[in-house]
Amino acid sequence: MEKMNLNKHISGQFNAELDDIRNRVLAMGGLVERQLEQSLDALSTLDAELAQKVIEGDHRVNGMEVSIDEECTRIIAKRQPAASDLRLIIAISKTIADLERIGDACVRIAKAALDKRTNNQQPLLVSIDNMGRHATRMLHSTLDALARMDAENALELHKEDAKLDKEYEGIIRQLMTHMMEDPRSIPGVLDVLWAARAIERVGDRCKNICEYIIYYVKGKDVRHTSYEDMEKDVNS
């Protein structure tokens, strides 16, 4: 990934601190991306060993969030950053919180792979896997936009969440039909439903990160605004 476009400072140490925190958040993103890929592999193949690996690996994601957040607090207290430097620290602090929640979603997906009731829902898992791979691509692209602090790309990716939401709605209809046709399948289908919900939340978190990228680059808080207004802010 290319480096974020950071301002250079008279203090070489400050530059090094910003560079370090950038590298750490990208490393955390890479770990979360692997967690997502492995949780989906575990669900599609019902691989209990791989699912357990994902669950046990979540502590690394949590630890990275805590350590990066502590470093953000230390930099603010020591350097008292302003303007774009402060926006960068805020954007990173918010980003790691969303990355940690994506890690939690991976755990939920992995737990669905461990539930024996899911074994009888193999046809439903195909749709889940397709949606999951879409979410994985969105996360990868979002992390790439973060590395380059590319507001234009972030804007495009922000729209991608709507497509993921439509896939989720389609899966919900499919699951509801399946439960009505065979009430005995309800426990297993509910496990698949929770996995689908977790994947849908990955898209929401990616959308949030895209908003933080725009905030850093343009200095505009675009949360809770329409896409049209967001587009004006990015292109202004």
Side-chain angles (χ1 to χ4, degrees):
M1 292 181 180
E2 298 178 24
K3 291 187 176 181
M4 292 177 180
N5 182 26
L6 301 180
N7 294 327
K8 294 300 179 183
H9 304 86
I10 296 175
S11 169
Q13 182 61 33
F14 191 13
N15 288 333
E17 289 170 357
L18 292 176
D19 205 39
D20 176 66
I21 201 171
R22 172 192 67 84
N23 290 332
R24 287 166 67 180
V25 73
L26 294 178
M28 182 181 178
L31 174 59
V32 170
E33 187 177 356
R34 288 193 298 276
Q35 286 279 95
L36 180 57
E37 290 171 347
Q38 290 178 347
S39 66
L40 292 169
D41 288 341
L43 185 60
S44 64
T45 61
L46 298 175
D47 186 332
E49 184 177 347
L50 184 57
Q52 194 61 44
K53 180 181 177 182
V54 172
I55 294 169
E56 293 173 356
D58 187 54
H59 77 279
R60 291 179 59 201
V61 176
N62 295 340
M64 292 180 85
E65 182 201 14
V66 171
S67 65
I68 295 171
D69 200 40
E70 288 176 346
E71 181 63 11
C72 288
T73 301
R74 190 195 68 80
I75 291 175
I76 290 174
K78 181 180 179 181
R79 302 294 182 181
Q80 297 183 346
S84 63
D85 295 328
L86 180 59
R87 293 202 306 273
L88 174 65
I89 301 300
I90 292 172
I92 286 177
S93 182
K94 290 178 177 292
T95 293
I96 59 174
D98 276 293
L99 288 175
E100 189 276 331
R101 290 184 179 95
I102 293 176
D104 291 342
C106 296
V107 170
R108 285 194 289 273
I109 296 167
K111 286 182 177 178
L114 289 175
D115 197 316
K116 293 182 179 179
R117 295 176 300 186
T118 309
N119 293 346
N120 299 323
Q121 309 304 328
Q122 197 67 43
L124 297 176
L125 296 181
V126 174
S127 297
I128 292 289
D129 189 62
N130 291 335
M131 180 184 173
R133 301 307 169 182
H134 185 180
T136 302
R137 291 191 299 272
M138 186 176 178
L139 175 59
H140 180 81
S141 297
T142 299
L143 292 172
D144 185 58
L146 178 68
R148 295 180 291 107
M149 281 299 180
D150 187 334
E152 288 77 14
N153 193 17
L155 179 66
E156 289 302 310
L157 287 166
H158 196 276
K159 293 191 297 184
E160 197 68 23
D161 183 57
K163 298 177 184 178
L164 201 64
D165 288 344
K166 287 185 178 180
E167 288 184 49
Y168 175 64
E169 291 168 3
I171 289 173
I172 292 298
R173 288 194 293 270
Q174 183 182 2
L175 295 177
M176 293 295 291
T177 299
H178 195 75
M179 287 189 289
M180 287 188 291
E181 291 177 350
D182 183 10
R184 293 171 301 177
S185 70
I186 290 176
V189 172
L190 287 177
D191 289 328
V192 177
L193 174 62
W194 289 122
R197 175 59 176 165
I199 295 170
E200 189 271 337
R201 294 299 290 162
V202 171
D204 291 342
R205 302 302 177 187
C206 289
K207 186 172 73 169
N208 290 347
I209 295 172
C210 288
E211 291 173 356
Y212 308 148
I213 294 169
I214 295 171
Y215 167 71
Y216 166 69
V217 176
K218 296 295 182 178
K220 300 286 184 66
D221 188 345
V222 295
R223 293 174 299 172
H224 314 302
T225 61
S226 67
Y227 179 79
E228 290 73 18
D229 290 339
M230 197 180 303
E231 190 172 28
K232 291 177 183 176
D233 288 333
V234 170
N235 295 325
S236 62

